[in-house]
Each structure stands twice: as C-alpha cells, then as structure tokens.
Amino acid sequence: MPKRYKIVLSEQEKQKLEGWLKNPPSPYLRERARAILKVSQGETIEAAAQKLRVRVHRNAVSEWVQRFLSDRLEGLKIKVGRGRKAVFSPTRKRRSQTAS
C-alpha cells in the first residue's frame, strides 16, 4: 500500500502554491506546487505523480514532499550551488598561454 503523507497547509501557503500554478517565479515550481497541493488533498505520491502535466517519477514527488515538510515553501526551490559546476571560466587563463 502506498505511503500517504499528511500535509497541512496554512491559508497563506495554500494561496502561495495556487499562485505558483498560474505565475511561478521559476517554471519548475509550477509542477512542484501542483504536487504538494494534490498530496495535501489526501492523494498518494503515486497518484499525484501520475496527474502532473509533466512526466515525473514518484520518487521525485516524494522528495519534494519530504523537503516541503522539513523546509516548507523554501524546500521546493533549488538551492544555490546545486548542479554541475562550470568547467570553463572566462577569468582563467588558457593553458597554452601559461605553458609558454
């Protein structure tokens, strides 16, 4: 049986998430907000993942829910410093110039 998370939203959080459905600060927040709202209405992670407009694995939705439960709205945003780091930096000198 799928695990059900219990999310209780304050009125302010609910309004913010519903606002993100129409006009999100970042495009990825639209689906995350939609998933959190569905889970808060009593749907399972699996059902919420299947009803999203973008294909998302249930593990991703589960991670969003867990981060929301620990950090609330800030947990849905991508943290600074995440992702692949740049290999080339315009401030670094080219190796061929320094080797000469």
Side-chain angles (χ1 to χ4, degrees):
M1 185 167 165
K3 184 174 181 179
R4 287 190 187 263
Y5 287 91
K6 182 163 176 63
I7 297 178
V8 179
L9 298 174
S10 68
E11 191 58 39
Q12 184 180 12
E13 288 174 331
K14 186 175 180 181
Q15 288 176 354
K16 187 86 149 182
L17 289 170
E18 288 172 348
W20 285 358
L21 293 178
K22 296 175 185 150
N23 189 16
S26 297
Y28 67 89
L29 287 173
R30 179 177 287 127
E31 291 305 310
R32 293 179 185 195
R34 187 172 282 118
I36 296 300
L37 287 169
K38 289 191 180 299
V39 173
S40 72
Q41 294 167 354
E43 292 192 19
T44 63
I45 298 289
E46 179 104 23
Q50 289 175 354
K51 292 181 181 177
L52 294 177
R53 293 182 181 170
V54 177
R55 188 175 210 161
V56 178
H57 196 273
R58 68 179 182 271
N59 291 347
V61 175
S62 178
E63 187 176 310
W64 298 342
V65 168
Q66 290 171 7
R67 287 197 332 234
F68 181 81
L69 289 173
S70 65
D71 300 329
R72 305 313 282 183
L73 292 173
E74 286 301 312
L76 297 179
K77 297 179 181 175
I78 295 176
K79 293 178 177 53
V80 176
R82 298 267 321 202
R84 183 176 175 172
K85 306 303 178 250
V87 176
F88 171 77
S89 173
T91 59
R92 285 176 64 185
K93 293 183 179 181
R94 295 170 61 189
R95 289 184 187 179
S96 61
Q97 290 177 346
T98 58
S100 301

